[in-house]
Amino acid sequence: MLPPVMVYAWTFIAATPSFHCHTPLDDLSALNLPDRLSNQYIPTIEQCSQSQKGVSLRECQRCFQVVQNRTSYDLIPCQKFVFDRTYYQSTLVEDWLMVCDRVSLRSTVQIVFFLGYMVGSLLFGILSDKYGRRPIMGVSFLVMFIAGLICALAPEEFIGQNTSYPFFAIGRFFLACATRGISLTGFVMGSELGGSKQRLFSGIVIKYFFVFGQLLLLTLALTIRTWRTLNAVLAVVPVPFIFFYFILPESPRWLISNQRYDEAEVLLHRIAEKNRTHFDPIVYKQFVNEDKKRVSATKNQNHGFKAILRSKVMTIIAINMSYQWFVQNLVFYGISQNTGAWLKNPYISFGISALVEFAAYFVVQLVLDRLGRKLPYCLFVIALALVTLLVLPIQIFLPKDSQVNIALKFFASGSYVIIYIYANETFPTQGRNTGMGVCSMIARIGAIIGTYSNDHLTRAWQHSPMVVYGITSVFAMLLATIFPETLDKPLPQTIGDVEQMGLACSIGQSRRHRHRRTNGVKEVHEDISLEKYLKEDTDF
């Protein structure tokens, strides 16, 4: 619930209200001068096409003004602007003039944010595997609080204009790192505390609370219309979450994977008591003995990135999945960061976007265990591609952008959540954290390009980002058809298990994969699962 508050806060903190060049007539606005006098400073279509060929008409008319000479005219860049205050009393864009030729200042801060996403995905993923889920989540909440304070203190009157901008960007970087620490660790912990029957449910429920976080942000933004005050309030929001450290249990799966069997036994006994069921210590000891044998048999195997690359099937899946994550982040964040432009009222637009996202997650929950993973994913992706590539003819019949944007948000949200679940079920336990980490890092490149497209490509042509989304989505759908289906299949434990699943384009997989050797050690494929001994059905 907390990460989306920090991610989407940029929508309101750095909102771009309607604006135009400040002219001498703006100082006389109370006199109700005729429109023809006001329009004399606004470039015409002919003037824009002759002087500013690489800029859209809309951008030309609000970023340049006409200066009349005796026999000709000049288009000069605006030095001052007048911002509409219908919905915002002040925004970061207005205070720091992040418009027109300074729009890169806005996109650069968001790019730094997604770089923090990239670093946080890898760093906190490694740390949570090494030190546990619970302490890393606690540290992430603390880092988020500190980073929020840095962003709140960034306004130039506190630290000076020259250092304010980099200070704010650094705060956003660490805020993104902490966001990934909470999101990644929370998703893994939610999955590890349940069985396979709850695997889809736990993943979807986490996404539902992602939407609830957006609605919480909307409530705060509606109440607080100045970006500085909103930034300061958001800095305090993580404080209650810090105390989750004293409530959340450690993941029993992580404890067992690190051979901390006694601590896991105490935790599992407590879980059994809470669920009013019986925990048999004798059966648990049998599981521990089997798990120790598995660890001993595989201790010399390389379970990292090199092991993935040694398998042709696994390499194809890893590269393909990385591209899927790249496209989904490009599309999802590109569309989501533009929700304020759906309607004139940005708050209604944001609320509709959150509800559409909720609806997409609900539909995914209904169909994913019935139709599998691959078919729904391909349908969501190709539907989005069709809407984006046909956006111009569609707008002939639907003049308002809102209907198109709602459809894009629905399809983008659905494919985004499916690929997250699909990747978790495709990578083997030997390289799941490595594979997911690499995918997440590459995905942030897509988010960065999506941000750049919104801020820069739209200056040349309003629908440029849509074309980018559509073309990349078509290739994503075609490549996704070669993935194996994972519905009703146990989580793969080894790379050999993935090779047995094979690719959809493969005629068959040789039985030799069941007994392939890695570094001279035979892979173990027995069902050594905690649920086997606890009478559940999820592979550990």
Side-chain angles (χ1 to χ4, degrees), residues 375-447:
L375 179 60
Y377 176 72
C378 290
L379 290 177
F380 271 99
V381 174
I382 195 61
L384 184 140
L386 289 174
V387 173
T388 53
L389 294 178
L390 298 177
V391 65
L392 291 179
I394 286 176
Q395 286 189 335
I396 295 176
F397 303 99
L398 297 175
K400 295 183 179 179
D401 289 340
S402 57
Q403 294 93 333
V404 175
N405 287 325
I406 288 174
L408 292 176
K409 179 68 175 182
F410 179 83
F411 294 130
S413 300
S415 57
Y416 183 81
V417 68
I418 293 174
I419 200 60
Y420 210 102
I421 296 171
Y422 207 173
N424 189 55
E425 297 176 346
T426 305
F427 285 108
T429 302
Q430 286 183 347
R432 184 169 294 121
N433 289 330
T434 300
M436 295 281 281
V438 171
C439 286
S440 186
M441 287 186 64
I442 295 176
R444 302 314 145 198
I445 301 175

Side-chain angles (χ1 to χ4, degrees), residues 333-367:
Y333 284 104
I335 293 172
S336 297
Q337 291 180 87
N338 198 38
T339 54
W342 287 14
L343 302 171
K344 289 185 177 180
N345 190 321
Y347 300 100
I348 295 178
S349 296
F350 190 85
I352 293 174
S353 172
L355 294 178
V356 170
E357 195 169 327
F358 186 92
Y361 297 153
F362 182 73
V363 171
V364 168
Q365 184 180 356
L366 292 179
V367 304

Side-chain angles (χ1 to χ4, degrees), residues 239-297:
V239 173
F241 291 86
I242 295 175
F243 295 96
F244 271 114
Y245 177 81
F246 304 101
I247 300 174
L248 292 173
E250 183 54 271
S251 165
R253 296 175 187 264
W254 180 84
L255 292 171
I256 290 173
S257 68
N258 286 270
Q259 291 82 55
R260 294 165 63 170
Y261 300 111
D262 294 339
E263 296 175 57
E265 183 177 4
V266 173
L267 178 57
L268 290 170
H269 193 276
R270 193 178 76 184
I271 291 174
E273 287 182 347
K274 293 289 184 180
N275 291 332
R276 297 181 181 179
T277 187
H278 177 64
F279 177 79
D280 192 336
I282 298 177
V283 175
Y284 177 73
K285 288 182 179 178
Q286 294 176 2
F287 162 75
V288 170
N289 291 332
E290 293 292 336
D291 191 65
K292 287 180 178 178
K293 293 179 181 178
R294 179 189 63 81
V295 172
S296 177

